[in-house]
Amino acid sequence: MRVVALGGGHGLHVTLSASRLITPDVTAVVTVADDGGSSGRLRRELGLLPPGDLRKALTALAGDDGPWPAVFEHRFGGTGALAGHAVGNLVLAGLLEVIGDPVEALAEAAKLMGVTGRVLPMSTDPLDIEAEVTGLEEDPDTVRRIRGQVAVATTPGLVRRIRLHNTNRKTEPPAACPQAVAAVREADVVLLGPGSWFTSVLPHLLVPELHEALVDTAAARVVVLNLVPQPGETAGFSPERHLDVLCEHAPRLRVDAVIADADSVSTPDRLRRAASVLGADMWLDPVAASASPDRHDPAALAASLRRAITSVRAR
């Protein structure tokens, strides 16, 4: 079974960890709009794709065997030029500069780490996120535009809509990585979420070729909802509001299944109705980690995914 998971950051990490329990044929398609922390520094200084989310995807697919996942995640301390940089970010930056092609560079990193599966960028160009936000002015309906992933993720206002821009070719629309488009079209299962809704999940729907692949693919399309709203970009969002926003950004997208944590949904009927608008069945399962209720448990999520995928295939 060919599984393609789209997202970024910690949300994509847990989806990949769960997917590895289902099949070895897993492809991660990763956002490339990060402009904060170590990734933002390398992006600004070297003009490269931000490596942080790509690094997290590699370590998720590498598992826990051998030293490389821990090495890639290690961050330098101190107060010098390396302070705060993850080792994996620097390795990926070196590979990107030497090899040039991001897909080939990630393939080499995957060999080094013993990765089962593939990691692909959603675009081979770094991208910028721009959001329309209300609630930042005295008039609560005044719309302001803010730019940058960190700014969008931490805004105290209400994010209404996002757009993507090509950083290096500002007059051109964001271009999809061809291998990512092919992976989505050839997949048996496509996963969206969990993760930062406006900065990790929805951006995939705003790259035209990738959007068309998601609309056209014969794969079972599964949305995994967050366990809690995120301060900033989705503060106050109900589970069904996440689906409403998804529909607003990609009205042609059909979904087969929506997975949510049973304890995180206070109004199941509302979520069921929102899922049905997308064409999806709702699955309420205990998928939160017992020790950290704001994080998914990979084994529990894998079990829920198996049930949902089996049901979709039996239709």
Side-chain angles (χ1 to χ4, degrees), residues 87-109:
V87 172
N89 287 358
L90 298 176
V91 173
L92 286 175
L95 285 168
L96 288 166
E97 283 208 329
V98 171
I99 295 175
D101 182 349
V103 173
E104 291 186 18
L106 288 164
E108 289 299 321

Side-chain angles (χ1 to χ4, degrees), residues 261-288:
D261 180 63
D263 294 330
S264 301
V265 179
S266 58
T267 54
D269 288 343
R270 291 182 184 175
L271 181 58
R272 187 175 287 106
R273 286 194 295 270
S276 68
V277 171
L278 291 166
D281 293 331
M282 181 182 71
W283 293 81
L284 292 182
D285 288 321
V287 293

Side-chain angles (χ1 to χ4, degrees), residues 1-68:
M1 181 167 58
R2 293 163 296 186
V3 173
V4 176
L6 300 95
H10 295 295
L12 181 60
H13 189 285
V14 74
T15 308
L16 296 174
S17 299
S19 297
R20 289 178 68 242
L21 301 175
I22 299 172
T23 176
D25 194 344
V26 181
T27 297
V29 177
V30 186
T31 53
V32 288
D34 191 4
D35 60 356
S38 169
S39 288
R41 288 162 61 189
L42 291 169
R43 174 179 173 168
R44 288 188 294 273
E45 292 171 12
L46 303 176
L48 301 172
L49 288 180
D53 286 347
L54 298 165
R55 182 197 81 244
K56 290 189 180 87
L58 286 166
T59 57
L61 290 177
D64 300 320
D65 296 333
W68 283 110

Side-chain angles (χ1 to χ4, degrees), residues 169-194:
R169 294 189 289 273
K170 300 184 184 299
T171 60
E172 299 178 14
C177 169
Q179 291 88 341
V181 172
V184 170
R185 291 190 179 276
E186 297 167 5
D188 297 305
V189 179
V190 172
L191 306 177
L192 274 170

Side-chain angles (χ1 to χ4, degrees), residues 180-207:
V181 172
V184 170
R185 291 190 179 276
E186 297 167 5
D188 297 305
V189 179
V190 172
L191 306 177
L192 274 170
S196 302
W197 214 243
F198 286 103
T199 54
S200 291
V201 178
L202 295 182
H204 293 279
L205 302 170
L206 303 181
V207 180

